[in-house]
Amino acid sequence: MSTRFLRHFFEPRTIAVIGASEKPHSIGGIVIRNLQEAGFPGTLWAVNRKGYETVFDQPCVSRVSELPETPDLAVVCTPAATLPKVISRLGRIGVKAALVLSGGAHLDDPEEGRGSIRERMLSAARESGIRVLGPECMGLIVPGRRINASYSSQPVKAGKVAYLGQSGMLGNAMIDWAAGRGIGFSHLITVGDSVDVMLPDLIDYINQFAPTQAILLHLERIHDAQHFMTALRDASRHRLVLAIKSGRTPQSDLSGMPPTPGIANRDVVFDAAFSRAGVVRVNDSDELFDALMTLSQMRPLKGDRLAIVANGLGPAMLAIDKLVSAGGSLASFSAETRRALRDGEFDISKPGENPVDLGGDATPERFVEALEIVAADPGVDAVLVVHAPTRLAPSKVTAQALIANRKRFRRNLLTSWMGLEGALYARHECSMAGIPTYVSPEKAVKAFMHMVDYQRVQALLQETPPSLPFSTTADIRARCHTLIAQARAEGRETLSHAETAQVLEAYGIPVAPSRYVHTPEEAAAAAEELEGPWALKVVHDGNCRPFRYRKHPHRISAGLLQDLHEPSQVAEGLTRLGEKVHEKFPPVKIREYCLQPMQRGKQSMQICAGITRDPVFGPLIVFGIGGYKVNILADRQVALPPLNMTLAADVVGRTHAARLIREHSGEPERDLQRLCQLLVKLSQMASDLLELRGLELNPLLLNRDGILAVDFALDLGAPARFAIMPYPEELREWVTLNNGMRVEVRPIRAEDAPLITSFHSQLSEESIRFRYFHNKADLSQRDLSMLAHINYDRQMAFIAEHQKEDGSKEMLGVVRVWNDPDNIRTEFSIIVRDDMAGQGLGSLLMKKMIGYCKSVGTLEMIGKVMVDNHPMRALMKHLGFRCRYNMEEQVVDAVLRLNEPESEWQRHRLESLPD
């Protein structure tokens, strides 16, 4: 998966359409006509075995080997059975890109001794390196380059929105919807059931090379979550990304993926992924365009407080209902605003309050005056105008008045012109003026909430979090790995209750006092050591796996005895539990019995938290209300690790548990902080223990004394692959500088923003100029986010950190690289604090980074050095970089070969500009 040769899809000078004819239903013929109607400026050929002289006036040959030259792009429209052979022939003549529109129901059916059509297509593509987009794709459209290599039914207007989808028919429908709304596209591509070029490849290419303001995504399935999340997070940092996904319900999910333990509907995992990537998710195609209009036309919001100005209370109340149910806030007016509204006698229903009902006889002038007052209120983030047409105030006239006076309104304006006849003109006028406008108040509110959600997820993407409450040591990780290795050696896929308790305690998660016993005598003796009354649980192979809920929740406590007051009762209870297990589940092996004091009082809340593993996105953190009804309560939130305190707070804050804590806890902030710390510890555990498949803490008690894990289960699996690469702890190392100072060289993390700020403040103007090529006195919040929040899949930054005598830490230097998506080249930068010059730190950091880049297979490291930066030029020469003067940019280009290319396309990329 890469952007290799994708330029040939989007910037072809020559195109060959394979399987084109002038028959009425020929897909190839439709492609040729669409290319002609789009005005494709390059050379166009048809290929058909029947040997026509021309197809729609374009020259035609009978075989691809007879083409006068190698085309940049081949559009394949031949029957499905011929596809592997066609791909192989195209690869042999040097074609780099093939767009396959053909498809069929039997692509995955294996043929005797040959594999399926899809497998043979991929094999043929890999032999020559040709990139294949399809089969079953609609084609691609790039209006700005006059390319329409698709079977679309109408021309597409040029614009600055890219549509990337997985369904050809939905892509066709999207063209029609967009045409009706006057929206144009920079690119429109559907991948269908592609064997090679995937959606993340296209996202990477658009993000790198296209002048696109927004990306619209349609998803049906995801093949590689890590590649998808990396591409999506990179794209959403630079442009608006909106996503719609089909298959939200189990009935419409055709992926065939196994269920995710502990999660009833896997669609919540996609919610978590989109949120983490800074992407706005919409529910349907109408919402997609409404959200696009809102987010592209509105200024950033400060909050979610909406004011409503209407010419009738009924429509305004519809908007309020939608706002509150969607989680928004109805703005409260200031005393000054209320007084101005009452003095002007604007509101006929609830004078001075929100919503403002101007009445059915409100003229356009009254609307403008009321809006000016409301939009000036500091407690209002946006104003929604809801208008139903009247004889005194026709929709079009009122809209024209708002547009003419729009500069008088200090807040974002949204409009809903209700109706279909007169309102149509009003909506058109507002749309042309760049004011978001909607058919109904409910649609307007939904679009407003998309803006609120977008700002929330973007803030999470860019916010620099507080320091981590906990970090593991090599000793902690080694102890836990030993427990896992012992279980594996014994052929077990689960840890015992006692072993799981040790893992939790190693990660700082308090566990209820427990004694693990095997006989009635041991149980009675253990009871003497613990304060009663007691609870006794039998731990066996059937109940030591996480997220295994029974069909009847009230029976989940089977295997547990509570309120045992005498040691003799404990001994007798152990016998009873053992007999019950052997009677109901004869083959099940009893591991141990767990004895604990009863946990009552202290007004405890039961929480459920843990780790599960999704077949696509890998490890997930789960959190919500706990107890025996957890599997039927809709309160489980999901998050992709790794988590920091800010991300954990967002997860916790969206649960019913958080609302209960805010309402009933004596110290809600303390309790919420404890839960956030718990989730960060679970995230660290998932990152450290790759073989951990699932962990469930249920119930986990939260009270004034803190949190306490009462019952838990942990199982094991194959090493996990994360959707978002976790912090690479293994790259930490301690070194000694020339002056004897001990420093730790480690990868940067999001929590290092304060260190970066302090480091930058100690740099000289010259050092800053050498690093940024201009003077940069201060770092903005966005700068800090970009420097501290890095994607370890494509970026790396090593900092040198020194602990001072007072225990605080300081940053002495940093080296960074940015890899291209194909891992061909990486660009470096380095800066060292002025007072550390001559201590060998610059050379040490560069050698560390060079070693890392070699280990991940990067081919070449490049950098730009200012001509007067003599110390850096000397360092580059010492490290073996080739340096040459770049006259155009007036800098020195430094280049170091790290690894040799293993294929022709890698060699091609090294010898040319990025493809």
Side-chain angles (χ1 to χ4, degrees), residues 250-281:
Q251 291 82 359
S252 63
D253 182 5
L254 303 179
S255 65
M257 291 289 178
T260 303
I263 296 174
N265 184 355
R266 288 189 59 240
D267 194 61
V268 299
V269 182
F270 284 88
D271 280 336
F274 290 136
S275 177
R276 187 65 183 273
V279 172
V280 174
R281 181 178 187 177

Side-chain angles (χ1 to χ4, degrees), residues 307-368:
I308 300 168
V309 178
N311 65 345
L313 193 58
M317 300 310 286
L318 290 175
I320 293 173
D321 288 341
K322 186 68 174 178
L323 177 70
V324 174
S325 66
S329 301
L330 192 63
S332 297
F333 293 150
S334 66
E336 184 181 348
T337 300
R338 288 197 298 270
R339 186 168 52 253
L341 290 171
R342 281 195 294 265
D343 292 347
E345 296 182 350
F346 284 101
D347 199 327
I348 66 169
S349 297
K350 301 170 70 180
E353 294 186 36
N354 187 14
V356 180
D357 175 15
L358 300 177
D361 58 350
T363 61
E365 293 72 27
R366 292 286 281 172
F367 258 100
V368 170

Side-chain angles (χ1 to χ4, degrees), residues 292-431:
L292 175 64
M293 177 168 57
T294 309
L295 294 169
S296 59
Q297 292 179 342
M298 283 176 68
R299 300 186 300 273
L301 298 171
K302 292 182 179 178
D304 62 353
R305 302 164 299 180
L306 183 68
I308 300 168
V309 178
N311 65 345
L313 193 58
M317 300 310 286
L318 290 175
I320 293 173
D321 288 341
K322 186 68 174 178
L323 177 70
V324 174
S325 66
S329 301
L330 192 63
S332 297
F333 293 150
S334 66
E336 184 181 348
T337 300
R338 288 197 298 270
R339 186 168 52 253
L341 290 171
R342 281 195 294 265
D343 292 347
E345 296 182 350
F346 284 101
D347 199 327
I348 66 169
S349 297
K350 301 170 70 180
E353 294 186 36
N354 187 14
V356 180
D357 175 15
L358 300 177
D361 58 350
T363 61
E365 293 72 27
R366 292 286 281 172
F367 258 100
V368 170
E369 291 168 13
L371 278 170
E372 188 171 11
I373 294 169
V374 171
D377 192 306
V380 171
D381 297 308
V383 183
L384 169 61
V385 176
V386 182
H387 184 274
T390 66
R391 189 174 289 276
L392 284 173
S395 299
K396 184 176 180 181
V397 177
T398 307
Q400 289 170 338
L402 298 190
I403 293 166
N405 293 277
R406 62 187 302 184
K407 291 186 178 178
R408 294 165 60 181
F409 312 137
R410 299 183 189 176
R411 297 289 182 271
N412 275 307
L413 203 63
L414 300 95
T415 61
S416 173
W417 307 99
M418 301 180 72
L420 279 178
E421 192 170 339
L424 194 63
Y425 297 102
R427 288 197 291 272
H428 177 73
E429 293 281 339
C430 283
S431 183

Side-chain angles (χ1 to χ4, degrees), residues 81-392:
T82 67
L83 293 178
K85 196 174 291 185
V86 171
I87 297 298
S88 179
R89 287 171 178 167
L90 289 171
R92 282 202 295 269
I93 67 168
V95 176
K96 302 299 183 190
L99 188 63
V100 182
L101 277 59
S102 316
H106 304 289
L107 293 173
D108 291 304
D109 295 349
E111 294 184 21
E112 191 173 339
R114 296 202 303 167
S116 68
I117 292 173
R118 186 187 311 283
E119 290 168 346
R120 286 183 286 131
M121 283 178 68
L122 187 56
S123 176
R126 285 175 174 166
E127 281 178 16
S128 61
I130 185 175
R131 300 307 304 273
V132 179
L133 177 54
E136 297 186 327
C137 73
M138 182 193 78
L140 68 86
I141 304 172
V142 188
R145 292 188 176 273
R146 292 183 286 173
I147 299 169
N148 183 353
S150 76
Y151 55 75
S152 64
S153 58
Q154 59 183 294
V156 177
K157 177 183 172 184
K160 295 199 172 180
V161 176
Y163 173 81
L164 310 176
Q166 290 180 320
S167 165
M169 286 304 102
L170 193 60
N172 259 320
M174 201 62 66
I175 291 170
D176 201 52
W177 278 321
R181 290 172 177 248
I183 294 172
F185 292 99
S186 63
H187 301 74
L188 196 145
I189 313 139
T190 68
V191 298
D193 205 4
S194 187
V195 298
D196 175 34
V197 177
M198 299 296 178
L199 213 54
D201 303 326
L202 298 175
I203 294 171
D204 276 332
Y205 186 89
I206 297 295
N207 189 36
Q208 279 185 286
F209 305 117
T212 299
Q213 291 178 347
I215 297 175
L216 308 184
L217 291 178
H218 164 251
L219 297 170
E220 292 177 344
R221 62 201 165 277
I222 292 171
H223 297 283
D224 184 338
Q226 190 175 100
H227 187 194
F228 175 75
M229 289 298 294
T230 298
L232 205 56
R233 293 172 77 207
D234 277 358
S236 69
R237 283 184 179 273
H238 301 101
R239 48 185 51 79
L240 169 65
V241 183
L242 299 170
I244 180 172
K245 182 187 177 293
S246 48
R248 296 185 67 119
T249 61
Q251 291 82 359
S252 63
D253 182 5
L254 303 179
S255 65
M257 291 289 178
T260 303
I263 296 174
N265 184 355
R266 288 189 59 240
D267 194 61
V268 299
V269 182
F270 284 88
D271 280 336
F274 290 136
S275 177
R276 187 65 183 273
V279 172
V280 174
R281 181 178 187 177
V282 298
N283 295 323
D284 55 54
S285 47
D286 254 0
E287 265 188 40
L288 189 67
F289 288 117
D290 284 344
L292 175 64
M293 177 168 57
T294 309
L295 294 169
S296 59
Q297 292 179 342
M298 283 176 68
R299 300 186 300 273
L301 298 171
K302 292 182 179 178
D304 62 353
R305 302 164 299 180
L306 183 68
I308 300 168
V309 178
N311 65 345
L313 193 58
M317 300 310 286
L318 290 175
I320 293 173
D321 288 341
K322 186 68 174 178
L323 177 70
V324 174
S325 66
S329 301
L330 192 63
S332 297
F333 293 150
S334 66
E336 184 181 348
T337 300
R338 288 197 298 270
R339 186 168 52 253
L341 290 171
R342 281 195 294 265
D343 292 347
E345 296 182 350
F346 284 101
D347 199 327
I348 66 169
S349 297
K350 301 170 70 180
E353 294 186 36
N354 187 14
V356 180
D357 175 15
L358 300 177
D361 58 350
T363 61
E365 293 72 27
R366 292 286 281 172
F367 258 100
V368 170
E369 291 168 13
L371 278 170
E372 188 171 11
I373 294 169
V374 171
D377 192 306
V380 171
D381 297 308
V383 183
L384 169 61
V385 176
V386 182
H387 184 274
T390 66
R391 189 174 289 276
L392 284 173

